[in-house]
Amino acid sequence: MKLASVASLIGATAAVPLFFTGDSDVPQTARMILALTTIGMTASSTALVTWALKPYITELHVLKYKDELEGSIPLMVQTMTFWAQPRTRLVFAEQLSPATLPMTSWIVEDASESLKELAKDILEQINDGRKKNRVTLAGKGDLFYAHTQGPVSAEMQKILQAAPSQ
C-alpha cells in the first residue's frame, strides 16, 4: 500500500507536463489549478499513508544470540522508510511499553547502559561487512505497530509475554 501510494505520487508528478501540452479550450489557469489539485491530493494521501504505516512491523524476529542475555530478549524489528525500503532496528523486549497513539502497539523506552553495551556487540556482529541496510539500535520514542489480536505465532507469543502490549 505504501509503495503504491509513493508510486502514484511520482506518477502524478511526472504527468503534470501533460496538462500543458496540446491544444485545448481549457485556459492555462484552469490547467494549473487542475495540476496543483492533482499533486496536492496525491501528496496528502501519500503523507497520510506514510504516517499511518511508519510504525507498521513488516518482520519481527527473536534474535538468537550466543552470549547469556540475563533474561533480555533481543528483537529484530523491520519497518519501512518513506520510499518503502526496509529499515531494521534492534530493540530489547523490556524496552517496549504500551503505546496510546493510533496505529501503534509499543513505544521504545531508553535502554539501560548494560543493554546499550550488549546492543553494541550484537550490532557489530550483524553489521560486519554490510554497506547498505545496516541495522541500528531503536531509539527512545520509536513506535512500532504489530497485529497482536487473533492467532499469533509461538515466536510472537514469546515476545508478547516479555513486552507489555495494549
Side-chain angles (χ1 to χ4, degrees):
M1 185 166 158
K2 190 173 193 176
L3 187 57
S5 182
V6 171
S8 68
L9 176 60
I10 292 169
T13 304
V16 165
L18 298 176
F19 285 99
F20 302 101
T21 59
D23 292 331
S24 174
D25 293 338
V26 179
Q28 288 291 342
T29 305
R31 291 182 192 196
M32 179 65 75
I33 291 170
L34 184 58
L36 290 174
T37 301
T38 301
I39 296 297
M41 294 298 288
T42 308
S44 64
S45 68
T46 299
L48 183 61
V49 167
T50 299
W51 171 81
L53 295 181
K54 183 178 180 184
Y56 187 81
I57 296 172
T58 57
E59 289 186 29
L60 178 66
H61 302 282
V62 174
L63 187 64
K64 290 159 183 52
Y65 190 65
K66 64 178 172 92
D67 293 338
E68 181 59 41
L69 298 177
E70 301 171 13
S72 298
I73 300 175
L75 306 172
M76 297 293 288
V77 181
Q78 183 173 304
T79 57
M80 292 183 289
T81 65
F82 176 82
W83 298 108
Q85 297 299 309
R87 178 181 182 204
T88 307
R89 288 171 280 177
L90 172 68
V91 66
F92 293 90
E94 58 264 33
Q95 285 182 266
L96 302 175
S97 294
T100 57
L101 297 170
M103 296 292 291
T104 58
S105 301
W106 299 301
I107 186 166
V108 177
E109 300 296 332
D110 200 19
S112 66
E113 289 305 315
S114 61
L115 282 182
K116 287 179 183 177
E117 284 300 314
L118 180 59
K120 183 179 176 186
D121 292 339
I122 293 171
L123 291 171
E124 282 178 5
Q125 290 180 24
I126 292 171
N127 291 322
D128 186 35
R130 283 187 182 203
K131 299 283 188 224
K132 294 171 64 175
N133 300 328
R134 294 179 60 85
V135 178
T136 59
L137 180 62
K140 181 180 179 182
D142 284 352
L143 299 169
F144 296 116
Y145 175 68
H147 291 285
T148 56
Q149 298 79 23
V152 294
S153 67
E155 189 172 48
M156 182 60 122
Q157 288 175 353
K158 182 178 178 182
I159 294 166
L160 291 174
Q161 288 173 353
S165 61
Q166 292 183 5

